[in-house]
């Protein structure tokens, strides 16, 4: 399966970024607008530049293209999609299936929430997208596509695992191997959206299953621990 690294324009802890990239390889690297500056700081040469470049600046874009010859998918600032949504389209057109995103959190809240919502669009269209920052790993589970989601304790991103409803209601949640197990429990944005926050994996592996809906899965660590 083709893997894509997508570096968007939000704040990125460069020390975290360097550690994250160790041992990882990608078939396609996309820099989204100001994500190009982060790529340059990390020593990454993207395969594709995407966006309106209102944040980074067109002059910087042109200078980089002259030096590197990298292809750019440039759009006008007045458009219906965010730069990140446009980058999702490019990843799909390139045949990518797995996408790791850096720089998608920690900046403007509207863009951060939009990036998280885009996980559902990507999942429905065939992309498995995971957002990473120094403290969180964020991905989407879809009851129609995922028979079960397995969490290996030794591979967890942090101590805590949380599940939040994306659709109004998520039905039939069963959690096994967790500190707080559930059996066939429904949760709703309108009634009990925080029920599945801050769970922990007790056994070697824990399993999530559910009958319907979309769940946001967040593996996280407290800020004082950072990335090991």
């Amino acid at each position: 399966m083709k893997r894509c690294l997508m570096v968007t324009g939000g704040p990125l802890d460069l020390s975290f970024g360097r550690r994250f990239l160790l041992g990882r390889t990608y078939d396609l690297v996309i820099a989204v607008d100001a994500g190009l500056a982060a790529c340059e700081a990390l020593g990454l040469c993207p395969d594709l530049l995407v966006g309106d470049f209102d944040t980074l600046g067109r002059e910087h874009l042109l200078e980089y293209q002259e030096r590197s010859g990298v292809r750019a998918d440039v759009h006008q600032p007045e458009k219906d999609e965010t730069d990140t949504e446009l980058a999702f389209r490019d990843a799909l057109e390139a045949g990518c299936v797995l996408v790791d995103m850096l720089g998608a959190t920690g900046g403007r809240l509207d863009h951060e929430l939009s990036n998280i919502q885009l996980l559902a669009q990507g999942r429905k269209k065939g992309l498995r997208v995971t957002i990473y920052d120094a403290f969180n790993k964020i991905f989407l589970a879809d009851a129609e596509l995922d028979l079960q989601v397995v969490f290996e304790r030794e591979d967890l991103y942090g101590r805590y695992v949380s599940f939040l409803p994306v659709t109004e209601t998520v039905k039939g949640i069963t959690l096994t191997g967790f500190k707080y197990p559930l059996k066939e429990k429904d949760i709703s944005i309108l009634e009990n959206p925080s029920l599945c926050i801050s769970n922990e994996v007790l056994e070697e592996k824990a399993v999530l299953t559910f009958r319907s809906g979309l769940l946001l899965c967040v593996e996280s660590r407290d800020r004082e621990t950072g990335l090991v």
Side-chain angles (χ1 to χ4, degrees), residues 135-146:
F135 307 100
N136 305 284
K137 173 184 176 181
I138 307 167
F139 61 96
L140 192 84
D142 184 335
E144 294 182 1
L145 301 172
D146 300 301

Side-chain angles (χ1 to χ4, degrees), residues 41-202:
L42 292 169
L44 279 174
C45 183
D47 302 294
L48 177 64
L49 313 176
V50 179
D52 54 30
F53 296 94
D54 60 345
T55 302
L56 183 69
R58 293 289 179 96
E59 289 185 4
H60 191 148
L61 167 67
L62 293 173
E63 289 173 2
Y64 188 85
Q65 279 192 287
E66 288 178 3
R67 295 197 312 267
S68 65
V70 171
R71 183 168 63 93
D73 179 15
V74 182
H75 298 261
Q76 294 300 317
E78 297 79 15
K79 59 188 187 306
D80 294 330
E81 307 89 351
T82 64
D83 292 337
T84 304
E85 183 172 353
L86 294 169
F88 271 38
R89 293 182 184 177
D90 287 318
L92 278 167
E93 289 178 3
C96 294
V97 176
L98 303 175
V99 178
D100 290 345
M101 290 182 66
L102 301 179
T105 60
R108 279 178 49 181
L109 183 58
D110 54 348
H111 280 282
E112 180 171 346
L113 292 173
S114 175
N115 291 337
I116 291 171
Q117 287 185 324
L118 282 171
L119 296 178
Q121 182 199 83
R123 191 75 177 90
K124 290 296 186 182
K125 292 183 177 181
L127 289 177
R128 289 181 173 269
V129 183
T130 306
I131 294 173
Y132 292 91
D133 62 31
F135 307 100
N136 305 284
K137 173 184 176 181
I138 307 167
F139 61 96
L140 192 84
D142 184 335
E144 294 182 1
L145 301 172
D146 300 301
L147 295 178
Q148 63 177 18
V149 183
V150 178
F151 298 85
E152 302 280 353
R153 187 170 63 181
E154 64 179 17
D155 294 331
L156 286 178
Y157 203 72
R159 174 181 177 182
Y160 302 105
V161 183
S162 298
F163 307 103
L164 297 97
V166 175
T167 47
E168 181 176 329
T169 302
V170 178
K171 295 185 177 181
I173 297 175
T174 297
L175 301 175
T176 57
F178 287 92
K179 182 176 181 179
Y180 305 109
L182 286 179
K183 186 173 178 62
E184 290 290 323
K185 181 69 176 179
D186 299 345
I187 64 173
S188 168
I189 291 174
L190 303 177
E191 294 180 5
N192 53 351
S194 62
L195 177 67
C196 296
I197 297 292
S198 296
N199 214 327
E200 299 177 40
V201 174
L202 290 187

